[in-house]
Amino acid sequence: MTHTTADLPTRRAGGAVVPVLAFAGIVVAVMQTLLVPVIKDLPQLLHTAPSNATWVLTSTLLSGAVATPIMGRLGDLYGKRRMLIISLAVMVIGAVISAVTSQLLTMIVGRTLQGFAMGAIPLGIGLMRDMLPRERLGSAMALMSSSIGVGGGLALPGAALIAQHADWHALFYAAAGLGVLAIVLALLVVPESPMRAKGSFDLFGALGLSAGLVLFLLPITKGSDWGWSSGTTLGLFAAAVVVLLLWGVMELRMKAPLVDLRTTARREVLLTNLASIMVGVAFYVVSLVLPQLLQLPVATGYGLGQSMVVAGLAVAPLGLTMMFTAPVYARLSARFGPRTTLIIGLVVIGAGYGGGIGLMDAVWQTVLTSVVLGAGIGLAYSSLPALIVGAVPASETGAANGLNTLMRSVGTSVSSAVIGMVLANTAHHVNGVAVPTLHGFHLSFLIATGAVVVGLLLAIGLPGRRSGPHLRAASAQEAGPARAEQVVSGFRGRVVGAEGTPVPRAKVTLIDHRGRQAGATVTAEDGSYAIAVPAGGSYVLATRAAGHGPLASAARHTGDERIVDLDLTLPGETVTA
């Protein structure tokens, strides 16, 4: 008996799964953007110095960076839906804590807990890969990946409106309410993934990565306050290098590491992650520059004199365009592949920033810039998870996408630090107040354009779509009778037994129309297999496993990847796929 991915019970997903997961991603983005409208007022609101108030933002960034790869790995081991709900629940608790305090330390605790929600993005992408059929997967992952920008763009005007007309603590109550709604919807609609990775959780790996990330990101976010050449900043950078190197050596020796560095070092994974940093840099520049340009007084000669709400509305098309780009990405990727789509997205981003340098004289021009950049960033963000998913084993999807999301966060952190330094160094000082200059805005857009150029070179270096058969083994040791995780031209799927239980180490043999063996492989621990075909035509997939009778399933290959799941509960039956 042959199942498609859609009708296999353990991988069944209703039509509401994708929007619910995307909504969870948007809620996470809303949490990140929550305090943008009140950033300049935080010292007064929290009764503290400006340098102390920045910890309210820094704490969220650091906890999100730490939680993203860790929650991804926990999802691979213990269930992605379970970890998604836990991530959102921790965020809700943090939002409630922040909503009831105006004390700096308690606020930092609440914001730290809110950062844990960042793990929802890679967990959502992993759930989609495990449950959705191939024809729905591209656009679904694109929407999930873009949700971080969609939520950020849409939250700006909403948060500005609340901040202008209500107590600022209402921002946190709103975030908590959205988090509760996301949890309820996930419980009702999203099924748990049957995929599980082997091994145990790498606690020491998690501690080492957490320490390294904190040591690296802390001086990036606080370097402008401490001084980039200060002993504290340089010392933390040096410590980060030492800790991360030692962590890498330890991970390479682990049987079940938190992050599989051998997989991460593959050309397609490494270049995709490096390109993600550049996309993160480019994405954040527009969020830093345009709101300030729009709100500066007209008396400066270049400010547009708009209110906080209008500024948010002018930048909102950035997120809306990213959302509407998801189906466009699916068509482009299906025809040209995610690598080419990433390149197209980066070219559009470059055009947006290049043209945006001359489009800072009116509100409509900033809206146009937001739309163009939203389209490019949407295409780029949508391509990244597809490139990662196509290059790693299914059992590592959560951890791999968690690392990729982390790389984007590193990009936004670097962007925040660099652009903040540029705007501060080019600012005019009026009565002790630093006023950003038009030259600083132009220079920021040029920096973003440079990041796009670097990202474009990295994307060009990615492997192109292969015209011939290709197998992706889970590791070098498994490359023979291996668990193959990706077939560019061939069959892939899962072998299952009673009640959809995956059957590991089952032999799958490909037989052509002349009765000759055309290929063979062995299923992984999660029952997955992948096998290339030499040419299009009719084949038989013969399957044999200990404790089960043989199964022969006919299937026709038409030149693209075909998903065929094999059920051994009806031994000996031959069914046309």
Side-chain angles (χ1 to χ4, degrees), residues 45 90 261 285 387 401 505:
L45 294 171
V90 173
L261 294 181
V285 171
L387 288 165
N401 272 302
R505 295 179 294 281

Side-chain angles (χ1 to χ4, degrees), residues 268-315:
E268 53 267 54
V269 179
L270 178 62
L271 293 182
T272 299
N273 283 332
L274 292 176
S276 299
I277 296 176
M278 297 300 109
V279 176
V281 170
F283 166 66
Y284 209 57
V285 171
V286 63
S287 303
L288 292 171
V289 169
L290 289 189
Q292 295 189 66
L293 173 69
L294 286 157
Q295 293 182 72
L296 281 174
V298 177
T300 59
Y302 50 88
L304 301 179
Q306 302 300 314
S307 69
M308 190 188 304
V309 175
V310 172
L313 290 172
V315 181

Side-chain angles (χ1 to χ4, degrees), residues 75-439:
D76 288 336
L77 288 169
Y78 305 116
K80 299 179 181 72
R81 173 180 177 264
R82 178 181 299 168
M83 292 303 140
L84 172 73
I85 292 169
I86 290 175
S87 296
L88 293 171
V90 173
M91 186 208 81
V92 170
I93 293 171
V96 172
I97 291 174
S98 296
V100 298
T101 186
S102 294
Q103 298 297 318
L104 176 64
L105 185 58
T106 310
M107 180 64 67
I108 291 173
V109 171
R111 290 292 290 169
T112 300
L113 294 176
Q114 289 167 55
F116 274 82
M118 278 300 297
I121 304 293
L123 291 168
I125 292 172
L127 282 166
M128 288 174 177
R129 175 179 178 170
D130 293 349
M131 295 186 297
L132 297 179
R134 182 175 179 271
E135 62 271 14
R136 292 179 58 195
L137 188 57
S139 60
M141 287 197 306
L143 184 60
M144 189 71 199
S145 181
S146 298
S147 64
I148 195 73
V150 174
L154 297 179
L156 276 174
L161 190 64
I162 292 174
Q164 276 192 348
H165 300 286
D167 180 79
W168 69 292
H169 291 95
L171 294 168
F172 297 111
Y173 284 117
L178 290 173
V180 170
L181 179 59
I183 291 171
V184 171
L185 290 174
L187 288 170
L188 293 176
V189 173
V190 180
E192 181 59 276
S193 166
M195 296 289 188
R196 293 290 187 277
K198 290 186 65 179
S200 57
F201 181 68
D202 178 13
L203 177 60
F204 291 107
L207 293 174
L209 180 60
S210 300
L213 288 173
V214 171
L215 290 170
F216 175 69
L217 292 174
L218 188 55
I220 287 180
T221 56
K222 301 292 288 184
S224 58
D225 294 331
W226 296 341
W228 292 104
S229 59
S230 70
T232 303
T233 300
L234 296 178
L236 287 173
F237 275 132
V241 172
V242 172
V243 170
L244 289 174
L245 284 175
L246 291 174
W247 170 78
V249 171
M250 181 182 67
E251 289 295 279
L252 288 172
R253 296 179 178 178
M254 297 287 292
K255 291 183 178 180
L258 177 72
V259 177
D260 189 339
L261 294 181
R262 292 181 177 85
T263 299
T264 305
R266 289 176 186 163
R267 177 184 166 193
E268 53 267 54
V269 179
L270 178 62
L271 293 182
T272 299
N273 283 332
L274 292 176
S276 299
I277 296 176
M278 297 300 109
V279 176
V281 170
F283 166 66
Y284 209 57
V285 171
V286 63
S287 303
L288 292 171
V289 169
L290 289 189
Q292 295 189 66
L293 173 69
L294 286 157
Q295 293 182 72
L296 281 174
V298 177
T300 59
Y302 50 88
L304 301 179
Q306 302 300 314
S307 69
M308 190 188 304
V309 175
V310 172
L313 290 172
V315 181
L318 178 76
L320 288 172
T321 309
M322 289 178 67
M323 181 170 61
F324 292 126
T325 301
V328 177
Y329 159 78
R331 293 185 180 183
L332 287 174
S333 183
R335 183 168 182 178
F336 303 109
R339 170 184 175 270
T340 300
T341 311
L342 174 60
I343 291 172
I344 293 172
L346 288 166
V347 170
V348 174
I349 298 172
Y353 277 118
I357 293 175
L359 294 174
M360 294 186 176
D361 299 325
V363 175
W364 70 266
Q365 293 178 353
T366 64
V367 173
L368 178 61
T369 300
S370 297
V371 169
V372 175
L373 290 174
I377 295 169
L379 289 175
Y381 265 18
S382 299
S383 304
L384 298 174
L387 288 165
I388 293 294
V389 163
V392 303
S395 59
E396 298 176 16
T397 303
N401 272 302
L403 184 63
N404 183 254
T405 303
L406 170 62
M407 292 300 103
R408 289 189 247 173
S409 297
V410 169
T412 57
S413 301
V414 171
S415 179
S416 176
V418 172
I419 300 305
M421 181 175 61
V422 167
L423 294 180
N425 290 339
T426 57
H428 287 314
H429 292 272
V430 181
N431 297 325
V433 178
V435 179
T437 62
L438 187 61
H439 172 65

